[in-house]
Each structure stands twice: as C-alpha cells, then as structure tokens.
C-alpha cells in the first residue's frame, strides 16, 4: 500500500472545500495519512467521522488523538445509522478512497445511495479512484460529476471525482 501523495491530498482538500466544511465523513481511511491531512485543513469546530471496514486499519486509526476525530469500524452501506450513532448531523462532505471497482456492483450502489441520502442539501461527495468504476456506480444515483480531474503526481495516478447534491449549502 503506497500512501497518497501530497499532490493528491491537496487536490482532494480543494475538491472537498475542507476549509469551510463542518461535518466531514471519510470512507476507507486506511492507515490514516489522508485523515491527518484532512484534519489539518478543518476548522476547530468541524468534525471528521472516519468509517473503516478493516479491523486492522481501524486499530491503527486509534492512534489519532484529535477531539474532532471519530473513528468507526463498519460499512459505508450503513452511513445513516453510523451518523445517528455518533449524533452527527448530515455531512456537508463525504470523501471516499474505497475501491468501488473491487466490490460487487450492488454493494457499490447501496453505498452511493447511502451517501446521497445522508448528504445535506448542497453537500459534496468526493471520490479518489484509480479506475472510473465509481462514476458508473455513482452517476445513476447522484447524476454526472460536477468535476473530474486526474492527479498524475501520485502512484498510481488517481482521478478525483466530485458530485454535488442540489440545494442550499449546509448550515
């Protein structure tokens, strides 16, 4: 597993507009490298909920000691339940590095629906992926992405997709 480059992290931070975000969900934080970067760009009142499926990675994330950080072991399919469990309102940003191309399409569709239903009006879903599969799964649920950029200064190069949920911005 190769960590995300600072170039990719900066592209994700920009697409997610983290400096103005108050409630952020990260799906598939892995070892926590991007998680730490996201925390460094969030304001003091913001909260970051990371949802990790792997018990091994979940345990590694326990090393992050930031009062704004919530570490949850579970599946992104149950995003609404996880938000409720942590008494967190609808996120204004969901960021995902989970490999949609490696999961059954039905699971990917359930995750995309869960994200769409959980995002607040005007919220953003940002996914960074090696393959284009995330767009095939997410676009039928959320419409076409508002942007897609390629970060070549990463191993492997990654696409950063951004979808917006119509409506007024989160408050």
């Amino acid at each position: 597993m190769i960590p995300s480059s600072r170039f990719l992290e900066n592209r994700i931070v920009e697409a997610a507009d983290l400096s103005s975000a108050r409630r952020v969900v990260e799906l598939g934080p892995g070892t926590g490298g991007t998680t730490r970067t996201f925390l460094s760009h969030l304001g003091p009142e913001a909260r970051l909920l990371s949802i990790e499926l792997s018990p091994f990675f979940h345990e590694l994330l326990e090393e992050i000691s930031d009062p704004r950080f919530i570490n949850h072991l579970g599946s992104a399919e149950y995003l609404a339940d996880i938000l409720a469990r942590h008494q967190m309102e609808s996120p204004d940003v969901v960021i995902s590095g989970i490999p949609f191309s490696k999961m059954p399409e039905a699971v990917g569709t359930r995750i995309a629906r869960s994200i769409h239903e959980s995002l607040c009006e005007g919220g953003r879903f940002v996914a960074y992926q090696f393959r284009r599969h995330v767009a095939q799964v997410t676009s039928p649920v959320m419409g076409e992405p508002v942007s897609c950029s390629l970060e070549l200064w990463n191993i492997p190069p990654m696409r950063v997709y951004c979808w917006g949920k119509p409506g007024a911005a989160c408050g």
Side-chain angles (χ1 to χ4, degrees):
M1 183 172 195
I2 299 171
S4 298
S5 72
R6 65 183 162 94
F7 302 102
L8 176 60
E9 291 174 340
N10 288 337
R11 195 174 291 262
I12 296 165
V13 166
E14 183 179 300
D17 191 18
L18 286 184
S19 62
S20 67
R22 292 188 22 234
R23 295 171 308 275
V24 179
V25 173
E26 179 185 20
L27 307 177
T31 61
T34 55
T35 307
R36 289 176 176 85
T37 297
F38 299 159
L39 285 165
S40 74
H41 285 85
L42 291 174
E45 302 301 316
R47 293 175 70 193
L48 173 61
L49 168 64
S50 285
I51 303 171
E52 177 56 59
L53 191 59
S54 162
F56 175 77
F57 289 141
H58 177 263
E59 188 174 324
L60 284 178
L61 293 164
E62 288 294 323
E63 296 174 8
I64 298 175
S65 61
D66 186 310
R68 302 168 300 165
F69 178 66
I70 303 164
N71 184 19
H72 183 88
L73 177 65
S75 172
E77 292 177 85
Y78 308 108
L79 180 55
D81 294 335
I82 295 167
L83 289 166
R85 178 176 175 186
H86 295 286
Q87 300 173 346
M88 189 169 173
E89 295 177 27
S90 295
D92 41 11
V93 179
V94 174
I95 302 170
S96 177
I98 58 176
F100 280 80
S101 63
K102 299 286 185 191
M103 64 181 70
E105 190 166 334
V107 173
T109 299
R110 285 194 299 271
I111 291 172
R113 283 191 186 122
S114 180
I115 293 166
H116 183 68
E117 291 167 3
S118 296
L119 272 174
C120 72
E121 301 294 313
R124 295 171 301 285
F125 171 47
V126 177
Y128 55 104
Q129 305 282 301
F130 173 65
R131 298 196 170 132
R132 300 175 195 254
H133 193 77
V134 67
Q136 296 168 355
V137 172
T138 303
S139 293
V141 175
M142 297 187 73
E144 292 302 311
V146 289
S147 67
C148 176
S149 58
L150 179 63
E151 181 52 64
L152 295 172
W153 292 99
N154 193 73
I155 300 173
M158 291 277 187
R159 290 175 183 82
V160 178
Y161 294 88
C162 183
W163 284 268
K165 186 170 181 177
C170 306

